[in-house]
Amino acid sequence: MKNHVLFCLLKCFLCLLCLSNCEKSQDRKEDGDYPPLWNLVPESLKDFTIQDNRTIINPWNYLQRMGLYKMLLAATAEPTAGAGSNNSGNFLWGLALQHGWQFQTGRLSDPSSSSLCGYQNGDNLCISARSWWACMNYFLAVIPFLAAVNAGYFADWPFAIDISPPAEFREDFCYSVDDCQSSMSKVMEKWKRFFEYHKISNTNHNNVTTSLIIEEDRVLHYLWTAHEASIGDALPKCKQSCRGEGLKHRGTFRVLAQVAL
C-alpha cells in the first residue's frame, strides 16, 4: 500500500511538471525554463574529453554531470505518452531539475568549508564528494546514464566511456559500465530495464490499440522501481562517510527523491 501511494504521488508530480512545461512556449529560450546554465551544458558525447580512444566524463563538475541528463533527455525524446513536441513531457526532466536546484541552492559545495569547491569565490562549478546531496545524486545521474549505455543507447558512439573518480570517497562509487555491473548490479539492472522498456513504449506509441495511459503507467513503474533502487543503494554509502549536512537533511532528500525524482 505504501509503495502504491508513493507511486501515485510520483505520477501526479510528474504529470503536473509536464503540464507546467507544456504550457510554456514551444521555443523555450529563457534560462529560467531550464536548469541553471543549461545553454553551457554538453549535449553529446563528442563534447567531452576524448583520450586514448576513451571518453572521459567528470561528474564532479556541475556542467558535465548535468550533461548526462541532457544526453538522456535527447536520447529518450521519441514520442512518449504525454510528451510535448519540445520534449517537455519527458519524465526525466524531474532528475535534471532536481540537480539544478541542488546546484542553485549550494547543496553540492563542500560542507566542511575545507576547500572552495562549489563556492562563488572558488570553483563554483565544482561538485564536492563531501556533499551528501552530491553523493546521493550520483546514483541518480551516473548510474542511470551508464545503464542507458548498457541498454543500447549511444550504441553508435565508437569510444568507451569512463567516469572520473573524486579525490576522496572513491570506494563509494563506480566508474564504467563493467565496474557498475560488477559492484552495483541490481540497481544497474533496474535502470537498464527502464530504458529498455522506454524503447518498447516508443514503439507501442504508434500502435493505436495500445492505451497511452497504460503505457505511461508502465514507464513510470519502471522509473519508480529504478529510482527506489538508486536511493536504497546510495543511502548507506553516503551516510557512512563524513557528510554532516546530509545527516540533517536526509529525511528531506528522501521525500524529494521519492516524489520529485
Side-chain angles (χ1 to χ4, degrees):
M1 173 64 74
K2 179 182 178 182
N3 284 342
H4 177 72
V5 171
L6 289 172
F7 175 77
C8 290
L9 287 172
L10 174 68
K11 181 178 178 181
C12 290
F13 176 87
L14 290 172
C15 287
L16 288 172
L17 175 64
C18 293
L19 287 172
S20 175
N21 285 341
C22 287
E23 287 175 356
K24 296 182 179 187
S25 167
Q26 293 291 322
D27 298 317
R28 298 184 303 172
K29 295 181 181 179
E30 296 182 5
D31 288 342
D33 294 342
Y34 297 95
L37 306 178
W38 187 252
N39 289 335
L40 301 178
V41 172
E43 57 186 28
S44 71
L45 286 167
K46 64 181 177 59
D47 295 326
F48 294 89
T49 299
I50 310 297
Q51 182 178 335
D52 297 328
N53 293 324
R54 308 190 76 82
T55 309
I56 311 299
I57 299 175
N58 176 18
W60 308 104
N61 172 277
Y62 166 75
L63 294 178
Q64 293 199 35
R65 189 181 291 200
M66 185 62 81
L68 301 179
Y69 291 135
K70 197 169 191 176
M71 289 187 290
L72 286 176
L73 283 162
T76 57
E78 298 297 327
T80 56
S85 60
N86 59 353
N87 202 27
S88 60
N90 193 319
F91 294 135
L92 294 178
W93 273 114
L95 292 164
L97 292 170
Q98 176 76 354
H99 185 48
W101 170 79
Q102 292 168 347
F103 169 75
Q104 197 166 38
T105 56
R107 284 171 167 80
L108 305 177
S109 60
D110 183 354
S112 71
S113 300
S114 61
S115 75
L116 295 178
C117 179
Y119 292 95
Q120 291 296 326
N121 60 338
D123 182 358
N124 68 313
L125 296 178
C126 175
I127 294 178
S128 174
R130 288 181 174 272
S131 164
W132 186 84
W133 293 85
C135 175
M136 294 294 292
N137 177 261
Y138 191 97
F139 290 81
L140 291 164
V142 174
I143 300 299
F145 180 79
L146 292 177
V149 172
N150 199 31
Y153 288 78
F154 315 103
D156 294 336
W157 185 246
F159 305 117
I161 298 172
D162 289 338
I163 305 298
S164 298
E168 51 188 345
F169 305 118
R170 293 187 176 210
E171 68 280 1
D172 289 345
F173 310 104
C174 57
Y175 306 102
S176 68
V177 171
D178 290 342
D179 183 19
C180 294
Q181 279 289 99
S182 175
S183 61
M184 302 179 188
S185 59
K186 290 184 179 180
V187 66
M188 280 285 287
E189 183 60 28
K190 292 185 186 301
W191 278 108
K192 182 183 178 184
R193 287 179 185 174
F194 164 71
F195 287 110
E196 287 176 338
Y197 190 80
H198 197 284
K199 287 184 178 180
I200 296 173
S201 176
N202 288 340
T203 300
N204 289 344
H205 186 82
N206 297 320
N207 185 346
V208 295
T209 65
T210 301
S211 168
L212 295 182
I213 295 177
I214 292 176
E215 283 301 315
E216 182 181 88
D217 282 348
R218 288 172 179 168
V219 169
L220 281 171
H221 166 73
Y222 283 104
L223 175 60
W224 167 256
T225 301
H227 101 292
E228 273 277 279
S230 279
I231 298 300
D233 267 25
L235 278 172
K237 291 179 180 294
C238 297
K239 74 177 181 181
Q240 69 184 2
S241 300
C242 183
R243 298 179 172 107
E245 103 291 6
L247 298 177
K248 182 172 64 175
H249 298 295
R250 184 167 63 232
T252 303
F253 185 92
R254 205 186 219 318
V255 171
L256 288 171
Q258 288 181 325
V259 178
L261 301 185

